[in-house]
Amino acid sequence: MSTPPIDYQALFAATLSPYLVLGPDLVILDVNEAYCRAVRRPRKDLVGRYLFDAFPENPADPDAEGVRNLRVSLHRVLCSGEPEALVVQKYDIPVPDRPGMFEERWGAPTNVPVRGPDGQVAWILHRVDDVTDFVLSHADRLRPDQAPSERQALEAELYVRAQELQRLNEQLRQAHAKERKVAVTLQEAMMQAPDLARHHNIAVRYLPAAKGLNVCGDWYDVADLPDGGFTVAVGDVVGHGLEAAAVMGMLRSALSAAVRALQEPAQAMEVLGLYARSVEGALATTAVKAVIDTHRRHITYSSAGHPPPILVRPDGTFVLLDQATDPPLGARPRHLPRPQAALSYSPGETLVLYTDGLIERRGEDIDAGLHRLTDVLAAHARLEPEHVADTLLSRLGVSDGGDDDIALIVVRL
């Protein structure tokens, strides 16, 4: 027996809680009957108007922060994509048919983002629980000689504490924003690749995890060699936060220096493995390094437990560079030489290196993500590297970041 389709517009109209729908520009797109009743305004007076034109601040009460707090909350929801609930706010509304007059209102707003097909916030569902009667009835109209009851005192205390909690939350947000700015500045400084500017055939991407401080342990690197060739590398330090980023910076620099001196990726990875033993937090790091010899047109590579790079031909066929894979750094109790492999390439082929955040999904075998990656590459092998990088992130659903950070290099050979 088939289930009849649900008329969500009818459900929205019928719900008893006051709701309105906002676009990303904060223009009112729809309101339900409960909202119209709450503000005593017909739907036609609201739909199509900018929210803060329809409900401006009360100029007679400049100390009220409800409108300002709501504005900040809505912009925060648009940027973060996360829902947000505010504590009780004073938010006066214009009195219908009495220009310049406002009615005192108190409410607890909730803003819920709704994503569109492209994953971006397309609408905000705004609900407000009106508590005006409660607030006004508890605004202690007691005589000076009359003591409040225990219940009145408790309710007043809860209300005061709620206001304090909002102020503390705002202070925490500001502190987090400052810490995040420091973290991102550090990350950008450590990810500098000066030689990249000379390679218009290379596209790189770094996307931090969608949550947290936006600083992690993934990296990419591009370095020119004295013989005219160049190297590319990606790596992934276990963990997140500033500590993982600091380890990443040390390992990235060590590998970049080692390959410039030795030019063989396996030897450079051996040096990195030895160095990692002396760096706290570096063990179990994965990395892959490839050296591109542009004269002989071949690629030499070595991997320490990292997902395999992919060489994609213009006809959509591809090769996994998985013939020189060893355990992650520090995984062996004693040092052993690392393997190395090589293969030829033809002009027009594309080399792709990436970290596991691009393909790994919770509760799924990583091979499924690898198949998705190769399918997208096969279908878009002729695109320019910048377009390939953007297409990969979009088709794999991580354009705005995923559960883990992502480093990606796309090289047109």
Side-chain angles (χ1 to χ4, degrees):
M1 175 175 153
S2 61
T3 303
I6 298 174
D7 187 342
Y8 289 100
Q9 188 170 8
L11 290 177
F12 173 76
T15 183
L16 297 178
S17 296
Y19 280 99
L20 59 77
V21 179
L22 299 170
D25 53 2
L26 304 185
V27 169
I28 301 171
L29 302 179
D30 202 358
V31 294
N32 67 354
E33 288 298 322
Y35 195 93
C36 292
R37 287 194 300 270
V39 299
R40 301 203 306 263
R41 303 268 289 276
R43 184 177 182 276
K44 64 182 179 62
D45 285 356
L46 300 175
V47 173
R49 297 189 65 187
Y50 179 59
L51 176 64
F52 297 109
D53 286 342
F55 299 102
E57 286 188 281
N58 181 359
D61 191 5
D63 294 331
E65 297 181 346
V67 175
R68 278 162 279 174
N69 291 338
L70 178 59
R71 192 190 304 269
V72 170
S73 173
L74 289 169
H75 284 291
R76 194 154 48 218
V77 168
L78 284 172
C79 293
S80 69
E82 297 292 332
E84 184 167 291
L86 301 179
V87 297
V88 174
Q89 305 286 324
K90 186 176 186 292
Y91 190 163
D92 298 347
I93 64 172
V95 177
D97 303 323
R98 297 181 66 185
M101 297 296 294
F102 284 77
E103 178 183 347
E104 182 176 349
R105 287 295 183 92
W106 295 79
T110 302
N111 300 310
V112 179
V114 181
R115 297 183 184 273
D118 61 355
Q120 302 297 314
V121 176
W123 307 278
I124 295 179
L125 193 61
H126 171 71
R127 188 190 80 198
V128 58
D129 296 312
D130 193 285
V131 293
T132 302
D133 291 342
F134 172 85
V135 172
L136 296 183
S137 66
H138 292 73
D140 278 344
R141 315 234 186 269
L142 300 175
R143 298 189 307 272
D145 60 342
Q146 182 181 12
S149 68
E150 183 177 348
R151 178 174 177 177
Q152 286 173 322
L154 178 59
E155 289 171 344
E157 177 72 11
L158 287 174
Y159 179 75
V160 170
R161 293 294 169 255
Q163 297 296 96
E164 290 178 354
L165 180 61
Q166 179 173 343
R167 287 193 292 271
L168 288 173
N169 282 337
E170 185 58 34
Q171 291 173 4
L172 286 173
R173 287 192 188 99
Q174 293 175 2
H176 178 80
K178 291 179 181 178
E179 189 174 359
R180 177 181 174 185
K181 184 177 180 180
V182 171
V184 171
T185 301
L186 173 65
Q187 186 87 10
E188 290 174 349
M190 290 191 297
M191 293 284 275
Q192 291 292 325
D195 294 344
L196 181 60
R198 291 186 283 274
H199 292 272
H200 302 295
N201 60 326
I202 299 179
V204 297
R205 297 289 186 273
Y206 174 78
L207 276 77
K211 297 181 179 180
L213 286 179
N214 280 10
V215 59
C216 299
D218 284 19
W219 84 83
Y220 63 78
D221 192 28
V222 178
D224 288 333
L225 298 176
D227 62 2
F230 63 95
T231 76
V232 290
V234 294
D236 185 357
V237 174
V238 175
H240 297 274
L242 293 174
E243 291 181 1
V247 174
M248 174 274 288
M250 290 187 285
L251 296 183
R252 180 178 182 268
S253 298
L255 182 57
S256 186
V259 78
R260 281 179 165 89
L262 300 171
Q263 297 195 18
E264 292 293 335
Q267 294 178 345
M269 294 294 280
E270 287 178 28
V271 171
L272 185 67
L274 291 170
Y275 177 63
R277 291 174 180 271
S278 64
V279 177
E280 185 176 354
L283 298 185
T285 294
T286 68
V288 60
K289 168 71 77 172
V291 174
I292 292 87
D293 186 329
T294 55
H295 298 299
R296 293 188 293 168
R297 292 180 180 169
H298 78 225
I299 302 167
T300 309
Y301 64 94
S302 182
S303 173
H306 203 81
I310 304 169
L311 182 65
V312 188
R313 303 185 179 96
D315 63 1
T317 57
F318 61 88
V319 178
L320 298 180
L321 277 62
D322 57 1
Q323 299 303 303
T325 301
D326 224 24
L329 302 180
R332 286 192 172 130
R334 60 189 181 90
H335 173 71
L336 291 174
R338 289 201 174 262
Q340 179 171 293
L343 76 164
S344 299
Y345 70 85
S346 299
E349 295 181 349
T350 303
L351 178 65
V352 179
L353 289 77
Y354 53 94
T355 54
D356 59 7
L358 183 66
I359 60 173
E360 194 171 39
R361 301 293 180 269
R362 191 170 299 170
E364 179 184 82
D365 190 276
I366 197 169
D367 286 340
L370 184 58
H371 287 314
R372 277 195 299 272
L373 173 59
T374 54
D375 286 346
V376 175
L377 286 173
H380 301 87
R382 295 181 180 274
L383 295 179
E384 292 301 312
E386 293 288 342
H387 292 164
V388 171
D390 290 338
T391 299
L392 284 175
L393 298 175
S394 175
R395 295 298 178 90
L396 297 178
V398 290
S399 294
D400 295 324
D403 293 335
D404 197 1
D405 48 338
I406 298 166
L408 171 67
I409 301 180
V410 180
V411 184
R412 178 60 44 80
L413 299 168

